[in-house]
Amino acid sequence: MVSFSDNTSLSCPNNPSQAPKFANTFTTRIFSDVAGDFTITVDGESFLLHKFPLVSRSGKIRKMVADGKDYNVSKLELVNFPGGPHTFELAMKFCYGMNFEITAANAALLRCAAEYLEMSEDYREENLIARTEVYLNDVVVQSLEKCVEVLCTCENLPPIVEELGIINTCVEAIAMNACKEQLVSGLSTLDCNGESTELKTGSLEWWIEDLSVLRIDYYHKVITSMARIGVRPDSIVESLMHYAQISLKSIGKCQIWNPARPNSNSGTTENEQKTIVEALVNLLPTLKSSNVPLSFLFGMLRMAIMVEATVACRLELERRIAFRLEMASLDDLLIPSLRAGDSLFDIDTVHRILVNFLQQIEDEENEDSGGYESDGLASLGHGSLLKVGRLIDSYLAEIAPDPYLSLQKFIAMIETLPDYARVIDDGLYRAIDIYLKAHPMLSDHECKKLCKFIDCQKLSQEATNHAAQNERLPVQMAIKVLYFEQLRLKNALCGSNGDGFLSQKISSSVPSAAMSPRDNYASLRRENRELKLEISRMRVRLSELEKEQVVMKRGMMEKSGNGKTFFTSLSKGIGRIGIFSGPGGGKRRKPRGSEGKSGRSRRYSVS
């Protein structure tokens, strides 16, 4: 008789064809006094059997025997039998009434074999179709582990397994069991001591590792069903991350940085990896329902570039990254380029991410254009923009030494950020200075074209001191820097704090009667943003003046009685501030000779 097994092993079965066939020894042992009637061949293996027990349960064999009755058929062949010879052997044992167990490892195989052999209730009660259906519906669906094991066995079965509904049944059961487990674990971890009822965060869900053995198409069905039933998005994200770590670990770092190296993986493996990447990206929860780690998104983006995923897949990852670009780190943006003869880093991808980020900021501002009480949202967007501005300046400084980085790409990255994304231009000046040093063959016209993006009024005292003696800058740039430095000193001595500029901004923000209300509001938003930016600059200037005051007081106390004037102390105080000038920034300034210039540049530039 047939019995049901509760074996919960999750390992996928080995090749069924490796199992020993029973054939002649089986029939001899049971019916030693009756010779076999005919032979059935399955995938090249022959089985000597008897007609009566088979035709009494299998409609297919009954029809085949009936069709060959005129010429006394003695040999039959079953083509494309589900599960191969091993599963056929189990089906024959069932026909002969022999004992064996239906388990999660063979339930799907037997169900498909029973359908192939037409072993329904029309020929015998409690036939193989009914027995396997009972096991699948009463035993397998109650256990997530058994459902996973059944799905593993379905990977090598023909499309009939999909038509029988076995896959959908297991997929829905897995999702439902995971949802139940989530509710139970949530209640068990609820801390009811005192008045606190906060839900404690647990460790990795136990079923996440179980799902990692599934093929990507079955895994896609399972996660889709989980999201529909209501499994927590953060649990789904953890499962996606674990599945990606397990299934994509064969992609080596050496292939990322050395695309010319021969790939040892076969074309099939590459296609599978591409399919996995695209499926995982498609399964990511919506932006509002989960917080996918940025490190995972950047990792998937690198994988998508490597396996040459579809454009839609890469653009989706870039859009998700742009949504939280202000939280990214410099290392995240350093995506290696896989194109031969191109720059070391993928500048185009980062540029698209930046454009998406700016577009989102603009869309948020346009959504708030219907009312005037949006200062909180506007300031939040501006704060994110300032963070991204500092991040991009650091990125520019990091990629600037690349000898293969073209001037066009470098300028494109610079001019993408609007002027109000930088409070000060020190980071931009540093990146441009590094690029000029790494590309000494630039023409004067190209140098001027690059340096025009630096706003001399937005340079700090340290950067101004360095730029005034930087030989790599065009002469016009150095003159402009000196002019604004003199203007700054004059304002500092006269006690000017920028009130005139602020008043000018306020007066210019008065809307014109000839403008439409929408244009007036847009103009007010721009003026408001510029005023906030100017206030930030004034705070930086105030901080610099406080430092200068401390230095001047110290100098006046040390040099009191030596006849030093106030202007001399001020000059020395300014010269001592030098975060760009390196360890020697506090030393006395050298004369404006060629030796002094080159020495100052060497202390600032990154080697």
Side-chain angles (χ1 to χ4, degrees):
M1 301 299 293
V2 179
S3 61
F4 292 161
S5 171
D6 292 330
N7 182 18
T8 59
S9 173
L10 281 180
S11 59
C12 293
N14 295 327
N15 188 356
S17 63
Q18 300 300 324
K21 62 180 181 178
F22 68 99
N24 293 339
T25 58
F26 159 65
T27 54
T28 301
R29 179 165 51 87
I30 301 300
F31 303 102
S32 57
D33 57 339
V34 180
D37 295 328
F38 67 144
T39 302
I40 297 180
T41 303
V42 177
D43 293 345
E45 296 192 25
S46 299
F47 297 85
L48 183 60
L49 303 167
H50 304 84
K51 293 180 182 179
F52 177 75
L54 272 62
V55 298
S56 64
R57 288 186 177 272
S58 171
K60 185 177 183 63
I61 294 180
R62 177 182 295 187
K63 294 174 184 177
M64 295 176 70
V65 172
D67 292 342
K69 186 176 181 181
D70 295 339
Y71 54 89
N72 193 19
V73 62
S74 61
K75 186 174 182 180
L76 299 176
E77 183 177 1
L78 301 180
V79 182
N80 297 327
F81 189 84
H86 177 64
T87 305
F88 178 77
E89 177 182 344
L90 294 179
M92 295 302 99
K93 282 185 178 182
F94 181 83
C95 293
Y96 279 98
M98 295 183 64
N99 243 347
F100 72 92
E101 288 184 341
I102 297 180
T103 65
N106 61 28
L109 300 171
L110 287 172
R111 177 65 184 88
C112 293
E115 189 70 20
Y116 182 92
L117 294 173
E118 301 177 15
M119 300 176 68
S120 64
E121 301 296 296
D122 297 337
Y123 302 97
R124 179 71 65 88
E125 292 184 358
E126 295 186 358
N127 212 344
L128 187 57
I129 290 180
R131 297 300 299 271
T132 52
E133 287 283 358
V134 169
Y135 181 80
L136 289 170
N137 295 327
D138 294 349
V139 179
V140 172
V141 297
Q142 303 300 324
S143 170
L144 188 147
E145 299 97 321
K146 286 186 173 65
C147 290
V148 172
E149 188 172 2
V150 170
L151 287 180
C152 285
T153 62
C154 292
E155 294 179 1
N156 299 320
L157 289 175
I160 189 176
V161 69
E162 187 85 32
E163 300 172 3
L164 295 176
I166 299 176
I167 294 177
N168 289 336
T169 299
C170 292
V171 166
E172 295 296 329
I174 291 174
M176 187 60 66
N177 281 295
C179 191
K180 291 178 181 178
E181 179 66 25
Q182 178 178 279
L183 293 175
V184 172
S185 62
L187 292 175
S188 64
T189 55
L190 196 63
D191 185 7
C192 298
N193 296 331
E195 298 181 357
S196 175
T197 58
E198 295 181 358
L199 189 64
K200 298 180 180 178
T201 56
S203 57
L204 192 71
E205 299 279 1
W206 62 268
W207 48 265
I208 290 179
E209 188 171 356
D210 293 342
L211 297 185
S212 62
V213 303
L214 293 177
R215 201 172 65 186
I216 185 60
D217 52 343
Y218 294 161
Y219 179 78
H220 190 282
K221 293 177 180 292
V222 169
I223 297 300
T224 302
S225 180
M226 284 184 173
R228 185 179 65 254
I229 290 178
V231 176
R232 287 195 304 264
D234 55 343
S235 298
I236 292 179
V237 171
E238 289 179 0
S239 178
L240 294 175
M241 294 172 61
H242 185 76
Y243 191 92
Q245 182 181 5
I246 297 299
S247 58
L248 299 176
K249 62 183 179 180
S250 60
I251 302 180
K253 293 182 178 180
C254 59
Q255 298 176 15
I256 297 179
W257 290 100
N258 186 12
R261 179 172 178 172
N263 192 356
S264 59
N265 296 328
S266 64
T268 304
T269 303
E270 291 178 357
N271 292 332
E272 289 176 354
Q273 290 171 345
K274 177 181 177 181
T275 304
I276 290 173
V277 170
E278 294 173 356
L280 294 180
V281 173
N282 186 44
L283 289 172
L284 288 174
T286 59
L287 291 172
K288 296 182 180 180
S289 64
S290 67
N291 190 13
V292 184
L294 267 178
S295 57
F296 176 66
L297 292 178
F298 275 105
M300 290 300 295
L301 180 58
R302 287 181 170 89
M303 292 293 182
I305 295 173
M306 271 200 58
V307 300
E308 298 181 354
T310 60
V311 176
C313 174
R314 283 178 279 181
L315 291 179
E316 174 63 18
L317 288 169
E318 292 172 7
R319 186 182 68 87
R320 288 177 174 271
I321 291 172
F323 191 77
R324 291 181 291 142
L325 183 58
E326 71 275 7
M327 302 173 61
S329 65
L330 177 59
D331 290 339
D332 292 333
L333 297 182
L334 297 178
I335 303 174
S337 176
L338 301 183
R339 288 177 293 186
D342 199 359
S343 57
L344 298 177
F345 300 99
D346 195 337
I347 314 297
D348 296 333
T349 297
V350 178
H351 184 263
R352 287 194 300 270
I353 293 175
L354 179 58
V355 171
N356 281 333
F357 170 78
L358 296 175
Q359 184 63 44
Q360 290 174 6
I361 295 291
E362 183 179 350
D363 292 342
E364 291 177 0
E365 292 181 352
N366 292 335
E367 289 177 1
D368 301 329
S369 61
Y372 292 91
E373 298 180 359
S374 59
D375 289 341
L377 291 176
S379 55
L380 177 61
H382 187 248
S384 300
L385 188 59
L386 293 178
K387 291 180 181 179
V388 172
R390 291 190 292 268
L391 176 64
I392 295 301
D393 286 347
S394 300
Y395 177 75
L396 290 171
E398 192 70 23
I399 65 175
D402 181 7
Y404 300 103
L405 177 58
S406 65
L407 180 63
Q408 290 74 18
K409 285 189 177 183
F410 192 68
I411 290 179
M413 283 296 300
I414 294 175
E415 62 184 2
T416 300
L417 271 179
D419 179 69
Y420 53 85
R422 297 182 177 93
V423 176
I424 58 176
D425 277 6
D426 287 18
L428 178 59
Y429 167 69
R430 178 173 178 267
I432 290 178
D433 185 46
I434 296 174
Y435 187 86
L436 292 175
K437 182 179 180 181
H439 301 79
M441 302 304 294
L442 291 177
S443 64
D444 293 339
H445 175 72
E446 291 174 331
C447 291
K448 293 177 182 178
K449 183 179 179 181
L450 182 58
C451 292
K452 74 176 183 179
F453 294 101
I454 302 174
D455 188 350
C456 298
Q457 300 182 75
K458 294 168 62 175
L459 293 178
S460 66
Q461 184 66 54
E462 297 88 345
T464 300
N465 291 341
H466 183 274
Q469 303 181 61
N470 192 346
E471 291 183 333
R472 287 184 287 271
L473 298 180
V475 177
Q476 295 85 347
M477 179 71 181
I479 295 175
K480 193 175 180 181
V481 169
L482 290 174
Y483 168 75
F484 284 109
E485 174 64 12
Q486 293 296 325
L487 187 61
R488 180 186 302 174
L489 287 174
K490 180 180 178 181
N491 292 335
L493 294 176
C494 297
S496 174
N497 56 4
D499 291 339
F501 177 80
L502 186 60
S503 301
Q504 182 183 359
K505 286 290 182 181
I506 295 175
S507 62
S508 63
S509 62
V510 178
S512 173
M515 298 173 64
S516 65
R518 183 179 183 87
D519 293 338
N520 285 337
Y521 181 68
S523 177
L524 288 173
R525 290 182 63 87
R526 287 194 299 270
E527 296 296 341
N528 184 39
R529 188 162 50 198
E530 292 177 0
L531 289 175
K532 289 180 179 179
L533 184 61
E534 184 60 28
I535 290 173
S536 300
R537 293 175 186 170
M538 290 171 59
R539 288 174 180 171
V540 174
R541 298 287 186 262
L542 180 60
S543 176
E544 293 178 356
L545 289 174
E546 289 176 351
K547 293 179 182 179
E548 293 174 6
Q549 184 182 11
V550 173
V551 174
M552 287 189 295
K553 286 183 178 180
R554 186 183 300 114
M556 292 175 65
M557 292 176 61
E558 294 175 355
K559 301 297 183 180
S560 59
N562 293 337
K564 300 297 181 181
T565 64
F566 173 77
F567 296 101
T568 306
S569 300
L570 175 61
S571 177
K572 290 185 177 181
I574 294 175
R576 287 192 180 94
I577 304 175
I579 60 173
F580 286 94
S581 57
K587 295 182 181 181
R588 178 169 296 184
R589 191 171 180 177
K590 293 186 179 182
R592 290 294 307 275
S594 60
E595 182 180 355
K597 294 180 182 179
S598 60
R600 192 61 175 267
S601 298
R602 284 195 297 270
R603 287 194 297 270
Y604 170 71
S605 300
V606 178
S607 300

